[in-house]
Amino acid sequence: MAGPAPSDGTPTVETLFREAAGRAFYKLCGSGNDFVFLDGFHAPIGALGSAEAIRALCARATGIGADGVVLLEPPGAEGDGAAFRMRYHNSDGSRATLCGNAALCATRLAVELGIADPRGFAFDTDAGRIAARMRGDLPEIDLQPVTGLVADAGIAPTAGEARIGFATAGVPHLVVRVDDVAVVDLPRRGRELRHDPSLADGANVNFVSPVAGGWRMRTYERGVEGETLACGTGAVACAAILDAWGAASGDETTIVTSSGRPLHVRRSADEGRGPALAGEGRLVFRGVVAELV
C-alpha cells in the first residue's frame, strides 16, 4: 500500500512506480548527448515530470541512464500552428529553457512518430518557438537569435586560455578559447567558471580550440554538473562568439564535439533571424519502463 505523500508534494516512491510501470519511452542520442523521451500525446506525463522521477530515469546505474529527459506534449491553445511542445529537464531534475541536441532529437522523433512533417514544422519550447526540418538525414532547427553576446566577459583567462566570451543561446554560455581542449582540466576549471560570481544564473562552459575544417569543443554543463559529450546550444554560442572574435570563416561553422560527431551552425542572411543548427538525432531504442524505483 502506498504511504502518505510527503508534505512538500514530492511523489512517493510507490506513486512513481505505479505511474511508470508499463510506460513506453524512447532513447535518442544527439552527438553524444543521450535523452529519455516520453510521449505526452497519448498519456499524461503526470508524476513522471517531477524532479524525483527525472533523476530516477536518468540514473546511469539504477535507471535508464541519460543526460536529460524530454517531454513531448500537445501544444495547447497558446501553441497555434505548433506541432508539439517540448519540455526539457536536466538529469538533476532541474528544468532548462532549451537544449539544442534535445531539440534536434525531438525533431527526429516527432517525424518518426508521425506528428510532424519532415519538410518543415514548428514546435514550442521554454525559449520560444523553433522551426525545424529534416536536412537530408540530419534534423535541423532554427533557433532564436543569440542574445547578450559579450566578446570579453570580464573574467580573467588563466594559463592556456586566450579569451573568454559570453552569450545566451536559449541558455547562458561562456566560451573559452584555449590552445588545446584536450589538456584542459575541465572538471576543475569548468566548475570554477560555471559558478563565477559575475554570472547571475551560472552558465554552461565551452572550451574551444581549432582543428582541421572547424573547431573542437568540450563542455561543462550546468544541471549535469560535469562534462557532456556534446552541447547543441553551446555549439551555437561558440559559433557566434568565434564570429565576434573574427575567428570564424564562411556562413557555416563546424563544431566537433567530444563524441567526435560534428554539429553544423549556419548563420542566417536575415539579421532578424537566429542561426540554424544541424546534427545527429539518432533513435537508439524503444522500451517500456518496468521498475523505476
Coordinates of all heavy atoms in Angstrom, one line a residue, residues 153-161 164 174 176 178 184-207 219-222 225-227:
A153 N 34.1 38.6 -21.6 CA 33.1 38.5 -20.4 C 33.6 39.2 -19.2 O 32.8 39.2 -18.2 CB 32.8 37.0 -20.2
G154 N 34.8 39.7 -19.1 CA 35.3 40.3 -17.9 C 35.8 39.3 -16.9 O 36.1 39.7 -15.7
I155 N 36.0 38.1 -17.3 CA 36.6 37.0 -16.5 C 38.0 36.8 -16.9 O 38.3 36.6 -18.1 CB 35.8 35.7 -16.5 CG1 34.3 36.0 -16.1 CG2 36.4 34.6 -15.7 CD1 33.4 34.8 -16.3
A156 N 39.0 36.9 -16.0 CA 40.4 36.8 -16.4 C 40.7 35.4 -16.9 O 40.5 34.4 -16.1 CB 41.3 37.2 -15.2
P157 N 41.3 35.2 -18.1 CA 41.8 33.9 -18.5 C 43.0 33.4 -17.6 O 43.7 34.2 -17.1 CB 42.3 34.2 -19.9 CG 41.7 35.5 -20.3 CD 41.6 36.3 -19.1
T158 N 43.1 32.1 -17.6 CA 44.3 31.5 -16.9 C 45.2 31.0 -17.9 O 45.0 31.1 -19.1 CB 43.8 30.4 -15.9 OG1 43.2 29.4 -16.6 CG2 42.9 31.0 -14.8
A159 N 46.3 30.3 -17.5 CA 47.3 29.8 -18.4 C 46.7 28.8 -19.4 O 45.8 28.0 -19.1 CB 48.3 29.0 -17.6
G160 N 47.0 29.1 -20.7 CA 46.5 28.3 -21.8 C 45.2 28.8 -22.4 O 44.7 28.3 -23.4
E161 N 44.6 29.8 -21.7 CA 43.4 30.4 -22.2 C 43.7 31.8 -22.8 O 44.4 32.6 -22.3 CB 42.4 30.6 -21.1 CG 42.0 29.3 -20.4 CD 41.1 29.5 -19.1 OE1 40.9 30.7 -18.8 OE2 40.7 28.5 -18.6
I164 N 37.8 34.9 -23.1 CA 36.5 34.3 -22.6 C 35.4 35.2 -23.0 O 35.4 36.4 -22.7 CB 36.6 34.1 -21.1 CG1 37.7 33.2 -20.7 CG2 35.3 33.5 -20.6 CD1 37.9 33.1 -19.2
L174 N 29.4 30.4 -21.4 CA 30.8 31.0 -21.6 C 31.5 30.2 -22.7 O 31.3 29.0 -22.8 CB 31.5 30.9 -20.3 CG 31.1 31.8 -19.1 CD1 31.9 31.5 -17.9 CD2 31.3 33.3 -19.5
V176 N 35.4 29.7 -24.1 CA 36.8 29.9 -23.7 C 37.7 29.4 -24.8 O 37.7 28.2 -25.1 CB 37.1 29.2 -22.4 CG1 38.5 29.5 -21.9 CG2 36.1 29.4 -21.3
V178 N 41.1 28.2 -26.1 CA 42.3 27.7 -25.5 C 43.2 27.1 -26.6 O 42.8 27.0 -27.8 CB 41.9 26.5 -24.5 CG1 41.1 27.0 -23.4 CG2 41.2 25.4 -25.3
V184 N 42.8 20.6 -21.2 CA 42.0 21.4 -20.2 C 41.6 20.5 -19.0 O 41.1 19.4 -19.2 CB 40.8 22.1 -20.8 CG1 40.0 22.8 -19.8 CG2 41.2 23.1 -21.9
D185 N 41.8 21.0 -17.8 CA 41.3 20.3 -16.6 C 39.9 20.7 -16.5 O 39.5 21.6 -15.6 CB 42.2 20.8 -15.4 CG 41.7 20.0 -14.1 OD1 40.8 19.3 -14.2 OD2 42.4 20.3 -13.0
L186 N 39.0 20.1 -17.3 CA 37.7 20.5 -17.4 C 36.8 20.4 -16.1 O 36.1 21.3 -15.8 CB 37.0 19.8 -18.5 CG 35.6 20.4 -19.0 CD1 35.5 20.5 -20.5 CD2 34.5 19.6 -18.3
P187 N 36.9 19.3 -15.4 CA 36.1 19.2 -14.1 C 36.5 20.4 -13.2 O 35.5 20.9 -12.5 CB 36.6 17.9 -13.5 CG 37.0 17.1 -14.7 CD 37.6 18.1 -15.6
R188 N 37.7 20.8 -13.0 CA 38.1 21.8 -12.1 C 37.8 23.2 -12.7 O 37.0 24.0 -12.1 CB 39.6 21.8 -11.8 CG 40.0 22.8 -10.8 CD 41.5 23.0 -10.7 NE 42.1 23.4 -12.0 CZ 42.1 24.6 -12.5 NH1 41.6 25.6 -11.8 NH2 42.7 24.9 -13.6
R189 N 38.3 23.5 -13.9 CA 38.2 24.8 -14.5 C 36.7 25.1 -14.9 O 36.2 26.2 -14.8 CB 39.1 25.0 -15.6 CG 39.1 26.4 -16.3 CD 39.4 27.5 -15.3 NE 39.6 28.8 -16.0 CZ 39.4 30.0 -15.4 NH1 39.2 30.0 -14.1 NH2 39.6 31.1 -16.1
G190 N 36.1 24.0 -15.5 CA 34.7 24.2 -15.9 C 33.8 24.5 -14.7 O 32.9 25.4 -14.8
R191 N 34.0 23.8 -13.6 CA 33.1 24.1 -12.4 C 33.4 25.5 -11.9 O 32.5 26.2 -11.5 CB 33.5 23.0 -11.3 CG 32.6 23.2 -10.1 CD 32.9 22.2 -9.0 NE 33.0 20.8 -9.5 CZ 34.1 20.1 -9.7 NH1 35.2 20.6 -9.4 NH2 34.0 18.8 -10.1
E192 N 34.7 25.9 -11.9 CA 35.0 27.2 -11.4 C 34.3 28.3 -12.2 O 33.8 29.2 -11.6 CB 36.6 27.3 -11.5 CG 37.1 28.6 -10.9 CD 38.7 28.6 -11.1 OE1 39.2 28.9 -12.2 OE2 39.3 28.3 -10.1
L193 N 34.4 28.2 -13.5 CA 33.8 29.2 -14.4 C 32.2 29.1 -14.3 O 31.6 30.2 -14.4 CB 34.3 29.0 -15.8 CG 35.7 29.4 -16.1 CD1 36.2 29.0 -17.4 CD2 35.9 30.9 -15.9
R194 N 31.7 27.9 -14.3 CA 30.3 27.8 -14.2 C 29.6 28.5 -13.1 O 28.5 29.0 -13.1 CB 29.9 26.3 -14.2 CG 28.4 25.9 -14.1 CD 28.1 25.5 -12.6 NE 26.7 25.0 -12.5 CZ 25.7 25.8 -12.3 NH1 25.8 27.1 -12.2 NH2 24.5 25.2 -12.1
H195 N 30.4 28.6 -11.9 CA 29.9 29.3 -10.7 C 30.5 30.6 -10.5 O 30.5 31.2 -9.4 CB 30.2 28.4 -9.5 CG 29.4 27.1 -9.5 ND1 28.0 27.1 -9.2 CD2 29.7 25.8 -9.7 CE1 27.6 25.9 -9.2 NE2 28.6 25.1 -9.5
D196 N 31.1 31.2 -11.6 CA 31.7 32.5 -11.4 C 30.7 33.5 -10.9 O 29.6 33.6 -11.3 CB 32.3 33.0 -12.8 CG 33.1 34.3 -12.6 OD1 34.3 34.1 -12.4 OD2 32.6 35.4 -12.7
P197 N 31.1 34.3 -9.9 CA 30.1 35.2 -9.2 C 29.6 36.3 -10.1 O 28.5 36.9 -9.8 CB 31.0 35.8 -8.1 CG 32.4 35.5 -8.4 CD 32.4 34.3 -9.2
S198 N 30.2 36.5 -11.3 CA 29.7 37.5 -12.2 C 28.4 37.0 -13.0 O 27.7 37.8 -13.6 CB 30.7 37.9 -13.2 OG 31.0 36.8 -14.1
L199 N 28.2 35.7 -12.9 CA 27.1 35.1 -13.6 C 25.9 34.9 -12.7 O 25.9 34.0 -11.8 CB 27.5 33.8 -14.2 CG 28.7 33.8 -15.1 CD1 29.2 32.4 -15.5 CD2 28.4 34.6 -16.4
A200 N 24.8 35.6 -12.9 CA 23.7 35.6 -12.0 C 23.0 34.2 -12.0 O 22.6 33.7 -10.9 CB 22.6 36.6 -12.5
D201 N 23.0 33.5 -13.1 CA 22.3 32.2 -13.2 C 23.3 31.1 -13.5 O 22.9 30.0 -13.9 CB 21.2 32.2 -14.2 CG 20.1 33.2 -13.9 OD1 19.7 33.2 -12.7 OD2 19.8 34.0 -14.8
G202 N 24.6 31.3 -13.4 CA 25.6 30.4 -13.8 C 25.6 30.3 -15.3 O 24.9 31.0 -16.0
A203 N 26.3 29.3 -15.9 CA 26.4 29.1 -17.3 C 27.0 27.8 -17.7 O 27.8 27.2 -16.9 CB 27.2 30.3 -18.0
N204 N 26.7 27.3 -18.8 CA 27.5 26.2 -19.4 C 28.8 26.8 -19.8 O 28.9 28.0 -20.2 CB 26.8 25.6 -20.7 CG 25.5 24.9 -20.3 OD1 25.2 24.7 -19.2 ND2 24.9 24.4 -21.4
V205 N 29.9 26.0 -19.8 CA 31.2 26.5 -20.1 C 31.7 25.6 -21.3 O 31.9 24.4 -21.1 CB 32.2 26.4 -18.9 CG1 33.5 27.0 -19.3 CG2 31.5 27.1 -17.7
N206 N 32.1 26.3 -22.4 CA 32.5 25.6 -23.6 C 34.0 26.0 -23.9 O 34.2 27.2 -24.1 CB 31.7 25.9 -24.8 CG 30.2 25.7 -24.5 OD1 29.7 24.6 -24.5 ND2 29.5 26.8 -24.1
F207 N 34.9 25.0 -23.9 CA 36.3 25.3 -24.3 C 36.5 24.9 -25.8 O 36.0 23.9 -26.2 CB 37.2 24.5 -23.4 CG 37.1 24.8 -22.0 CD1 36.2 24.2 -21.2 CD2 38.0 25.7 -21.4 CE1 36.1 24.5 -19.8 CE2 37.9 26.0 -20.0 CZ 36.9 25.4 -19.2
T219 N 32.6 20.6 -23.2 CA 31.6 21.4 -22.5 C 31.4 20.9 -21.1 O 31.3 19.7 -20.8 CB 30.2 21.3 -23.2 OG1 30.3 21.9 -24.5 CG2 29.1 22.0 -22.4
Y220 N 31.4 21.8 -20.1 CA 31.0 21.6 -18.8 C 29.6 22.1 -18.7 O 29.3 23.3 -18.9 CB 31.9 22.3 -17.8 CG 31.6 22.0 -16.3 CD1 32.3 21.0 -15.6 CD2 30.5 22.6 -15.6 CE1 32.0 20.7 -14.3 CE2 30.2 22.3 -14.3 CZ 31.0 21.4 -13.6 OH 30.7 21.1 -12.3
E221 N 28.6 21.2 -18.4 CA 27.2 21.6 -18.5 C 26.5 21.7 -17.1 O 26.6 20.8 -16.3 CB 26.4 20.6 -19.3 CG 25.1 21.0 -19.7 CD 24.5 20.2 -20.9 OE1 25.3 19.6 -21.6 OE2 23.3 20.3 -21.1
R222 N 26.0 22.9 -16.9 CA 25.2 23.1 -15.6 C 24.0 22.2 -15.6 O 23.4 21.9 -16.7 CB 24.8 24.6 -15.4 CG 23.8 25.1 -16.4 CD 23.3 26.5 -16.1 NE 22.1 26.8 -16.9 CZ 21.3 27.8 -16.8 NH1 21.6 28.7 -15.9 NH2 20.3 28.0 -17.6
E225 N 26.3 19.1 -14.2 CA 27.5 19.4 -13.3 C 28.7 18.5 -13.6 O 29.3 17.9 -12.7 CB 27.0 19.3 -11.8 CG 25.9 20.2 -11.4 CD 26.0 21.6 -11.9 OE1 27.2 22.1 -11.9 OE2 25.0 22.3 -12.2
G226 N 29.0 18.4 -14.9 CA 30.1 17.7 -15.3 C 30.2 17.8 -16.8 O 29.5 18.5 -17.5
E227 N 31.2 17.1 -17.4 CA 31.4 17.2 -18.8 C 30.3 16.3 -19.6 O 30.0 15.2 -19.1 CB 32.8 16.7 -19.2 CG 33.1 16.7 -20.7 CD 34.5 16.5 -21.0 OE1 35.3 16.0 -20.2 OE2 34.9 16.7 -22.2

